[in-house]
Amino acid sequence: MQKTLILEKTIYTLGDLTLPDAPQLAVAGRSNVGKSSLINRLAGRKKLAKISSTPGKTQSVNLYRVEPGSYFLVDLPGYGYARRSKAERDKWAQLIERYLTTTAQLRAVAVLLDCRLPPQASDLDMVSYLGALNRQVLGVLTKADKCSKRDQQARKAQWTGLLGGRPPVLFSSVTGMGQEELWSRVDALLGQDEQSAEEEAP
Ligand code: GTP
Ligand code: MG
């Protein structure tokens, strides 16, 4: 079933960081890796989240409510973009860090990784940071349309090792590759089956 994504909230500052009491999956990754494009592809809408070929487009925490399901996909500002002032980078790092450390309803973090690139230091830092926080990580290899089949499999195998044996999803916002697999991994992580079982219980 096609799900509907609704932009419910945009957060720019720590002071605005009040969150709904509903399960959440954060979408993290380096600037330009394709976070907002992935949200648009999942929504089946080209212009829901703003995308740009210039890194650093998303500068806020954006909460998209998913229906059916009543959970949230949370588009985070990208990390690892050097061409910003230190003050700006610090501000975003604080916002992301506060979100990741304090959100009780955060069930998992999708870490988006560019299929074309070897693991980058900032990606490895993010994965180990999330591990230290005991957060579930869902790896997603983006821009798979730009990689040969052979490179896709090699990159997937490489990240499977780095993600503690859990294979990442090969994904393309251009072709839609991996979309169904991603939805089913998201549904499993956000406990939708459990929740509907509870709702159905007498
Ligand atoms: P920030 O908001 O800056 O952190 O970036 P982002 O991770 O949200 O990336 P965004 O979705 O804005 O995409 C960055 C660029 O990559 C855009 O030019 C997209 O068109 C392109 N892009 C994103 N996903 C894909 C994909 O699956 N395949 C291809 N070929 N291009 C993609
Ligand atoms: Mg973005």
Side-chain angles (χ1 to χ4, degrees):
M1 186 203 291
Q2 172 70 49
K3 304 200 193 226
T4 304
L5 270 69
I6 303 134
L7 176 61
E8 195 144 299
K9 197 166 176 192
T10 297
I11 295 162
Y12 288 96
T13 62
L14 280 175
D16 287 343
L17 195 60
T18 48
L19 295 161
D21 187 22
Q24 289 159 47
L25 172 89
V27 179
R30 284 183 310 109
S31 278
N32 220 36
V33 73
K35 298 176 294 300
S36 300
S37 301
L38 174 141
I39 300 256
N40 285 340
R41 170 49 86 163
L42 293 182
R45 287 173 57 186
K46 289 218 156 70
K47 292 184 180 163
L48 180 63
K50 291 195 187 82
I51 66 158
S52 168
S53 54
T54 315
K57 181 69 187 173
T58 307
Q59 301 185 13
S60 49
V61 173
N62 295 290
L63 282 87
Y64 296 89
R65 183 158 50 83
V66 179
E67 295 294 352
S70 293
Y71 60 83
F72 285 81
L73 296 186
V74 182
D75 190 9
L76 297 175
Y79 52 77
Y81 181 49
R83 252 195 272 164
R84 294 266 167 202
S85 72
K86 183 167 184 314
E88 274 179 311
R89 274 184 284 145
D90 285 353
K91 189 182 135 203
W92 298 339
Q94 268 188 352
L95 195 58
I96 295 174
E97 196 179 309
R98 176 81 68 88
Y99 175 80
L100 293 175
T101 52
T102 65
T103 308
Q105 288 270 42
L106 178 61
R107 299 287 168 84
V109 181
V111 178
L112 274 51
L113 307 154
D114 193 322
C115 189
R116 300 169 298 180
L117 303 177
Q120 305 288 293
S122 54
D123 296 327
L124 295 167
D125 284 351
M126 182 51 117
V127 168
S128 63
Y129 177 64
L130 292 168
L133 293 176
N134 272 325
R135 295 298 191 190
Q136 286 263 15
V137 172
L138 167 57
V140 180
L141 289 168
T142 61
K143 310 194 185 184
D145 57 287
K146 296 269 197 186
C147 281
S148 68
K149 285 265 179 309
R150 171 195 262 249
D151 289 349
Q152 288 174 9
Q153 293 312 322
R155 192 69 70 211
K156 184 171 173 177
Q158 184 178 29
W159 273 109
T160 300
L162 294 166
L163 294 168
R166 282 183 303 275
V169 179
L170 282 161
F171 187 87
S172 167
S173 298
V174 172
T175 66
M177 174 185 184
Q179 192 174 354
E180 299 212 338
E181 186 189 349
L182 186 56
W183 272 128
S184 65
R185 298 269 298 264
V186 171
D187 278 342
L189 282 165
L190 294 202
Q192 292 309 298
D193 294 340
E194 237 168 76
Q195 200 176 325
S196 47
E198 269 170 27
E199 279 165 11
E200 279 158 26

